Amino acid sequence: MKDRFPPALRLRSAGGLIDIGRAGLGAVLGMLFAGVAARLMIGGDPRIAPLLVAPIGASAVLIFAVPASPLAQPRSVICGNVVSALVGITCALLIPNPTLAAPVAVSAAIMLMLLTGCLHPPGGAVALICVIGGPQVRQMGYLFALSPVGLDSLLLTGAGMAYHRLMGRSYPHRAPTPAVSPHGTADAPPTARAGFTAGDLDAALARYGELLDVSRDDLDALFRQVELQAHQRLHAQILCGDIMSTDVIVLDPQQTCQSALLYMQEHDLRTAPVVDAQRRVLGLARRAELLANRDRKVEVAIDPFVHRVRATTPIQALLPLLSSGAVHEAVVVDADRTLRGIVTQTDLLAVLYRAHVVEAMAAER
C-alpha cells in the first residue's frame, strides 16, 4: 500500500497522535486568544474592522505544528507579517491595477523579508490580501499593518510562547547547547572532535544551494546524532564480554591505602576496582584518593559511582560514555554484581581500530 504521507510529514508526525493533538489544541487556543484579545483591545464593529486576517491561520500552523522552524520564530511571524503588510499597502496605493499590484506586492514582500531576515511564508498572503482585500483594507490604509496584522501576530506568538511552555517545550526555539569539555578547557569534547567539522557543514550547505527550513545549529546537532546512531548500529554485534580484560587487578577494602597504592604502581594502574570477599564490586579506587589517605584503609577512598555493564552489553552502549572524557572504564559484572572483567578506553579504542582496518581491507578487495 502506498504511504499516505510524504517522508517529511512522516518524520514530523513520528511522535504520534499526541503531538498531532497538541498542535491542533494549540492552534484552537492560540487563534481564540488572538481573536478575543484583539476584539477587546481595538473594539469597534467587526464588519468594519476585521477581527482576524486570514494569513494568521497559516502563521498558527507554523507556530503550533513546527515551532522549531526558523520560519515560525516570533521575529519572523511579527516582522514578516507587518513588513509584508506595509509592502502590500504601498503597492496597492502606487499601482492602480490589482492584477499587476498583487504579484508585485508578493514578490517585493518576499525579497524584503529575506533582506531583513524575517522570512515568514504567510507574509506573502498578507501582502496579497492588502491588494485584493477590498474597501475595508483600503479605508484603513497603513493602519491595517498595525491592527489587525501586527496585533494579531503579536497576540498569536504570545499565545504560542505560553502554550509551548505549558507543554514543556521551547518557543522561541533554542538550538541544542554545544557540548563542553568535561575538564573545563576550551577544547571541544572528544565526541565533537571526530567526524565532520563546522567547515564541512558550511561547505555542504553552500554546495546544496537551497534555503532550508532548519537552522544550521539544529542541522549540526541532528547530523551528530545520526553519525552516533550509525556507529552504534555498526558495532551493535560486538559485546563487552568479547573485549573485556578478565585478569583484573582488584583491591581489598580492608587493606591500607599505602599497600594499595604500591600494588597499583607495580602494575602501572591509575584506577582499580574494589571488591569484597565474594568479588562483588564496591566501587573504584584512584591513586589521588589513596595518596591522600595513606595511613587509612581503602574503604575510605572508594568511589561508589562506577559504571557497571553486563558481558552481553553491546559496546555501542559504551561509545558515548567512554568517549565523553568523564569516564575512563566500565566494570563488567553479573546479576549479583560479581566482577567478571573490565573495559577501558584502551580496549574500546583497540576494537574500533581493528574494525576500521578490517573495513579498509575489505574496501581494497
Side-chain angles (χ1 to χ4, degrees):
M1 180 182 296
K2 188 177 181 179
D3 291 336
R4 292 179 298 166
F5 305 108
L9 291 183
R10 289 201 304 272
L11 179 62
R12 179 62 187 90
S13 61
L17 294 177
I18 293 180
D19 282 344
I20 296 173
R22 284 176 178 172
L25 178 61
V28 168
L29 298 177
M31 293 290 290
L32 183 63
F33 170 77
V36 172
R39 175 58 55 224
L40 293 175
M41 295 174 67
I42 64 178
D45 188 345
R47 293 172 298 180
I48 300 175
L51 183 68
L52 290 170
V53 289
I56 291 298
S59 296
V61 173
L62 291 171
I63 292 174
F64 295 102
V66 284
S69 168
L71 307 179
Q73 301 314 297
R75 183 176 185 275
S76 295
V77 176
I78 299 171
C79 296
N81 283 338
V82 171
V83 164
S84 297
L86 294 173
V87 170
I89 295 168
T90 300
C91 289
L93 294 175
L94 296 179
I95 306 175
N97 186 348
T99 304
L100 177 60
V104 171
V106 174
S107 175
I110 291 173
M111 290 189 291
L112 192 55
M113 284 190 290
L114 286 171
L115 286 172
T116 55
C118 60
L119 184 64
H120 185 58
V126 170
L128 182 62
I129 203 172
C130 288
V131 175
I132 65 173
Q136 288 180 315
V137 178
R138 287 196 297 271
Q139 182 181 354
M140 297 181 67
Y142 285 108
L143 289 178
F144 184 79
L146 299 179
S147 177
V149 173
L151 182 60
D152 287 347
S153 302
L154 183 63
L155 292 173
L156 189 66
T157 53
M161 291 179 187
Y163 181 76
H164 286 299
R165 177 171 295 182
L166 185 64
M167 294 292 107
R169 294 183 173 180
S170 171
Y171 181 78
H173 175 65
R174 298 177 181 84
T177 303
V180 297
S181 170
H183 306 295
T185 64
D187 290 322
T191 51
R193 299 176 202 166
F196 66 89
T197 66
D200 295 331
L201 181 57
D202 290 337
L205 289 173
R207 285 196 299 269
Y208 189 75
E210 299 284 348
L211 288 176
L212 296 177
D213 185 14
V214 61
S215 71
R216 179 188 174 282
D217 291 338
D218 283 334
L219 280 176
D220 183 86
L222 175 63
F223 290 163
R224 293 195 184 279
Q225 286 298 318
V226 171
E227 190 177 49
L228 177 61
Q229 179 63 32
H231 280 295
Q232 291 176 342
R233 175 178 53 81
L234 292 173
H235 299 102
Q237 302 305 316
I238 305 176
L239 307 180
C240 290
D242 298 329
I243 68 170
M244 68 181 182
S245 301
T246 56
D247 185 15
V248 183
I249 302 300
V250 298
L251 302 178
D252 188 320
Q254 297 304 314
Q255 72 181 114
T256 65
C257 292
Q258 177 65 27
S259 65
L261 185 61
L262 293 174
Y263 190 41
M264 290 174 61
Q265 290 174 341
E266 179 184 346
H267 292 278
D268 194 24
L269 297 174
R270 288 182 171 81
T271 306
V274 181
V275 300
D276 61 15
Q278 287 75 40
R279 288 185 65 82
R280 290 193 295 263
V281 177
L282 302 176
L284 293 173
R286 297 180 175 83
R287 282 191 184 184
E289 287 76 12
L290 294 173
L291 189 60
N293 296 276
R294 282 178 177 272
D295 300 326
R296 306 177 69 182
K297 293 183 178 180
V298 170
E299 61 185 359
V300 303
I302 297 176
D303 179 4
F305 298 104
V306 55
H307 194 82
R308 298 179 176 87
V309 296
R310 298 290 183 88
T312 55
T313 301
I315 65 168
Q316 62 163 345
L318 296 182
L319 289 173
L321 179 74
L322 297 187
S323 62
S324 67
V327 179
H328 302 283
E329 64 283 306
V331 295
V332 182
V333 298
D334 59 19
D336 298 323
R337 292 194 306 165
T338 303
L339 181 66
R340 295 283 306 279
I342 190 168
V343 178
T344 66
Q345 288 176 324
T346 302
D347 298 324
L348 191 61
L349 181 62
V351 72
L352 293 179
Y353 174 73
R354 185 176 184 278
H356 172 73
V357 171
V358 170
E359 291 173 1
M361 292 174 63
E364 293 176 356
R365 293 176 182 174

